[in-house]
Amino acid sequence: MFLKERKSGDLVDVVEMRRLTNLFQDSVEGRLQPGEEQQDPQEFKKSDWFYVR
């Protein structure tokens, strides 16, 4: 699933869907998708994202 980061506007590929749906987790592991090259996973705060329709 892809979400959009508020600051940069880049897409983030969510690595662990279980942490995304867990209400007690405030961060999720994901990979930035700014271009063609896949990035290493990093932690993102859920509050820094919004859903892409």
Side-chain angles (χ1 to χ4, degrees):
M1 171 183 246
F2 288 98
L3 299 174
K4 200 169 198 177
E5 188 180 31
R6 289 185 195 273
K7 290 183 253 177
S8 67
D10 290 333
L11 292 178
V12 177
D13 182 17
V14 177
V15 175
E16 288 188 48
M17 291 299 294
R18 193 174 301 167
R19 285 180 64 189
L20 179 64
T21 58
N22 185 342
L23 299 176
F24 299 105
Q25 294 283 330
D26 64 346
S27 63
V28 177
E29 189 172 320
R31 290 187 171 108
L32 273 174
Q33 301 290 316
E36 294 182 21
E37 190 173 312
Q38 190 164 8
Q39 305 296 313
D40 292 332
Q42 56 187 4
E43 291 289 318
F44 294 92
K45 290 188 142 213
K46 288 182 183 179
S47 61
D48 293 339
W49 291 354
F50 62 95
Y51 292 93
V52 179
R53 292 195 244 178

